[in-house]
Amino acid sequence: MDATENTSAVPRPTAPRAARTVPVLIVGGGPVGLALAAELGWRGVGCELVEQSDGAITTPKMNEVNTRTMEFCRRWGIADAVRQCPFPDDHPLDVVFVTSLAGYELARMRRPPRGQQHAGGDSPERMQICSQIWFDPILRNFAQGQPGVTLRHRTRLQSFAAAADGVTAELHDLDSGRCETINADYLVGCDGATSAIRDAIGVALTGQGTLGHPLHLFFRAPDLLERCGREPGVFFLAIDRHGLWANIRVVDPANGLWRLMALETDGKQTPESVDRAALLQRAIGRPIDVQWQGVSIWTRRSVVAERYGQGRVFLAGDAVHQLSPTGALGMNTGIGDAVDLGWKLAAVLQGWGGARLLASYDAERRPIGLRNVAMATEFHFAHGEFRGGTAAIEDDSDAGRALRARLGASLARDVGRMFRTAGLQLGYRYEASPICVADGTPPTPDDPEAFVPSARPGSRAPHAWLADGRSTLDLFSRGFVLLRFAAPDTAALEQAARTRGVQLGVVDVDDPAAAALYERRLVLVRPDGHVAWRGDTIPVDAAALIDRVRGAA
Ligand SMILES: Cc1cc2nc3c(=O)[nH]c(=O)nc-3n(C[C@H](O)[C@H](O)[C@H](O)COP(=O)(O)OP(=O)(O)OC[C@H]3O[C@@H](n4cnc5c(N)ncnc54)[C@H](O)[C@@H]3O)c2cc1C
């Protein structure tokens, strides 16, 4: 990252203007930077986000907004907007294993259309299919509607200097060529996989590294499924006589936008050298006319940063974890980072966060990065078991049918795991967090597939429907919330919170099912919806408890 790193189309930077100060400077307007701006703005904390592109999404990556991210959207008040995105309500979300789109079907994992889904027992929300082409603008509109949030496109962070009391950054307006120096209390790099901020603070990535070089072909083909005689679905995995080699996803059914992903290239191809017609014919199983929209070759990685920041500089999203899209965890993990970091930055800037609060960001989120990267990598390697091919898979014979049935069952069991991730989405917990008070109970199993709700400190406070139709999650807001399942005297804790400027709401819950789920008469829930402490009575030293959970102990 330096002042000479411009493309020739970009005007040369001019001399810096006088500095102004913002509380938080966010670099990168991908979904994670936007989520952080949203979280900060929602908490009343000013921030400026700079994004070097114009914000247009030319090659959308993510499609699945998982259940936990939907819960965050619910808190922000934008869950309905995500649900109402243009993905049709009646389009089945089935995952289907095929020899080709027009070929044989080996197995089908049925997932009902959005319009027929009901919230499950574990969450008031469900995973939503909402391509980045719609999701990023929803986040962007919400973020820029918050007072104190400024989003600036075509603006690049050119360089920065971090000191003990703040960060000075040089920004380059790519349209005018003007440079500006800006002071920030904190800098957050949401600048993606090639994060220059990460490099500048000397943070290395560790892990298995590069796993491959998949290829994306985007095309428009209205009525493709009808033309192939295929029952609708959303994600088709192609396994032919040469093995499992591709997936085909409908991104925008109403407009016939599709993405074909060839799982592997030789690493030497370029978008220009790719024989896209041959790949398409192999995936569809017959010649078909399409309108080409774009080609990209990207790198599949399995890495996590050794640190999530340094001093007043923090990193979030792909800047600190890069994982295979198998399991749809990339952005969703990054949004978890943004929410965790967001409330902590707000607490410190608003004066009630303790000196150790920000350090807990790394302690809490890095283990989740490691967990999710490991799981996504495992899902990716499950594909490898089916790379070897056999010609009989395409035989119109009893033997061919038997082989397809056998393979289909194995594929749905092994590769299909990446679509059964309730535990991964909701079951992450902040073990050994310095700002949660362990209660000595053993951890529930961290099973990727099966979610086991728990109110054990560090866990996401579990969901239960209340008599008035709200979820317990709707009781949580910007501050801490003390859930009272009986009415012990909590005045000492309330007083301790007040004297430290910590916002603490007290909510009486008269609901036996919720009481059984939470297991204690008192449960203290953090501003991000995780349990900080639970017990049956207020501890003798209530002030020490408040200091612990606000990072001042
Ligand atoms: C095929 C595929 C499918 C996927 N599907 C899913 C899915 O279903 N669900 C899911 O959760 N995840 C999915 N992911 C992963 C997800 O897309 C990424 O994890 C996510 O986009 C990362 O967001 P980010 O904001 O951290 O980074 P990015 O989206 O990479 O954004 C970083 C931004 O920073 C900007 N920037 C960089 N440097 C500077 C600078 N110096 N100044 C200003 N701006 C700068 C860049 O222009 C860029 O816009 C998928 C990924 C792939 C490849």
Side-chain angles (χ1 to χ4, degrees):
M1 167 170 293
D2 65 46
T4 58
E5 190 199 307
N6 306 309
T7 64
S8 53
V10 172
R12 302 292 306 160
T14 57
R17 290 185 303 176
R20 61 197 170 82
T21 299
V22 295
V24 183
L25 175 64
I26 301 168
V27 178
V32 175
L34 290 170
L36 180 60
E39 177 74 17
L40 288 170
W42 182 74
R43 295 187 174 281
V45 172
C47 62
E48 187 153 319
L49 179 152
V50 293
E51 164 57 49
Q52 62 192 358
S53 77
D54 62 4
I57 297 153
T58 45
T59 50
K61 293 185 283 189
M62 81 84 196
N63 288 278
E64 301 198 3
V65 181
N66 81 12
T67 308
R68 186 61 178 143
T69 301
M70 282 304 293
E71 292 178 351
F72 295 136
C73 290
R74 181 183 182 94
R75 231 175 33 138
W76 292 326
I78 58 172
D80 281 343
V82 179
R83 267 190 290 276
Q84 286 156 15
C85 79
F87 195 93
D89 255 6
D90 57 354
H91 191 96
L93 306 182
D94 295 0
V95 172
V96 193
F97 296 89
V98 292
T99 53
S100 68
L101 222 45
Y104 292 105
E105 187 163 311
L106 281 71
R108 179 174 284 263
M109 296 167 61
R110 298 223 174 250
R111 301 194 301 176
R114 202 169 51 189
Q116 292 171 23
Q117 289 180 354
H118 305 288
D122 296 334
S123 172
E125 295 292 338
R126 303 272 316 230
M127 181 278 286
Q128 294 296 319
I129 302 282
C130 177
S131 161
Q132 197 167 5
I133 51 179
W134 304 309
F135 188 65
D136 281 15
I138 292 170
L139 270 184
R140 189 179 310 137
N141 288 342
F142 174 68
Q144 67 193 5
Q146 304 304 304
V149 174
T150 305
L151 306 185
R152 291 172 62 186
H153 287 95
R154 300 275 302 146
T155 305
R156 177 187 289 162
L157 175 81
Q158 205 66 30
S159 63
F160 68 92
D165 58 349
V167 179
T168 302
E170 192 191 348
L171 304 181
H172 181 195
D173 181 320
L174 300 179
D175 290 325
S176 69
R178 271 204 300 273
C179 270
E180 180 189 4
T181 301
I182 185 170
N183 297 323
D185 293 319
Y186 296 96
L187 170 69
V188 187
C190 302
D191 50 346
T194 56
S195 171
I197 298 179
R198 183 188 66 227
D199 292 346
I201 60 173
V203 172
L205 297 171
T206 62
Q208 297 190 39
T210 297
L211 301 179
H213 301 278
L215 165 81
H216 275 169
L217 297 177
F218 288 93
F219 58 93
R220 282 193 196 277
D223 308 326
L224 179 60
L225 290 175
E226 290 88 328
R227 285 150 82 191
C228 291
R230 172 77 50 214
E231 190 187 329
V234 76
F235 195 83
F236 299 85
L237 292 105
I239 175 164
D240 62 13
R241 60 186 56 230
H242 304 293
L244 178 58
W245 72 279
N247 61 61
I248 315 148
R249 176 185 273 280
V250 62
V251 177
D252 180 1
N255 288 299
L257 179 62
W258 288 81
R259 184 195 73 201
L260 165 61
M261 181 198 294
L263 299 178
E264 200 44 86
T265 65
D266 60 10
K268 296 186 188 112
Q269 283 174 349
T270 63
E272 296 71 32
S273 70
V274 166
D275 186 350
R276 52 191 194 181
L279 290 169
L280 186 76
Q281 162 123 13
R282 183 177 171 195
I284 307 289
R286 65 168 62 145
I288 201 154
D289 283 337
V290 303
Q291 287 170 272
W292 291 108
Q293 301 289 303
V295 180
S296 71
I297 295 175
W298 50 280
T299 306
R300 191 191 301 272
R301 292 195 184 86
S302 174
V303 287
V304 180
E306 59 181 359
R307 275 176 289 129
Y308 274 27
Q310 179 171 296
R312 286 177 175 262
V313 181
F314 294 93
L315 302 164
D318 277 18
V320 279
H321 39 73
Q322 291 150 44
L323 40 88
S324 170
T326 37
L329 286 165
M331 176 201 76
N332 289 304
T333 308
I335 290 189
D337 300 340
V339 170
D340 189 85
L341 182 58
W343 78 264
K344 293 171 182 175
L345 283 171
V348 171
L349 287 160
Q350 289 163 351
W352 56 271
R356 294 190 183 87
L357 186 60
L358 287 171
S360 71
Y361 168 60
D362 184 299
E364 292 187 342
R365 291 303 303 175
R366 191 166 174 276
I368 308 306
L370 289 165
R371 165 193 187 260
N372 291 0
V373 168
M375 214 53 240
T377 307
E378 195 176 313
F379 292 152
H380 165 68
F381 283 128
H383 288 65
E385 303 297 315
F386 300 91
R387 286 276 162 83
T390 160
I393 195 174
E394 292 172 67
D395 280 359
D396 184 14
S397 64
D398 286 346
R401 275 184 284 281
L403 174 65
R404 286 192 290 277
R406 220 174 33 249
L407 258 180
S410 306
L411 284 159
R413 184 192 61 219
D414 298 343
V415 178
R417 279 182 77 207
M418 65 181 184
F419 297 98
R420 297 187 295 264
T421 57
L424 261 182
Q425 297 176 45
L426 297 175
Y428 65 88
R429 71 290 297 268
Y430 300 139
E431 289 295 332
S433 164
I435 59 165
C436 293
V437 185
D439 68 356
T441 53
T444 51
D446 188 11
D447 180 338
E449 210 160 311
F451 170 60
V452 183
S454 169
R456 197 171 153 264
S459 308
R460 154 193 168 278
H463 153 75
W465 289 116
L466 301 172
D468 62 6
R470 286 185 301 169
S471 160
T472 44
L473 271 59
D474 299 329
L475 305 175
F476 314 139
S477 187
R478 293 170 176 81
F480 280 85
V481 169
L482 182 64
L483 297 181
R484 264 194 319 209
F485 292 97
D489 180 10
T490 55
L493 194 71
E494 293 171 60
Q495 176 60 26
R498 244 189 324 274
T499 55
R500 282 154 177 78
V502 174
Q503 193 189 332
L504 175 67
V506 179
V507 179
D508 289 310
V509 183
D510 181 13
D511 184 297
L517 192 58
Y518 279 75
E519 297 181 317
R520 299 288 184 278
R521 297 202 301 170
L522 296 167
V523 180
L524 182 62
V525 180
R526 315 189 318 182
D528 60 349
H530 281 253
V531 175
W533 168 88
R534 65 177 178 171
D536 287 324
T537 53
I538 293 298
V540 177
D541 192 349
L545 172 57
I546 292 294
D547 281 345
R548 174 80 178 270
V549 301
R550 72 185 182 96

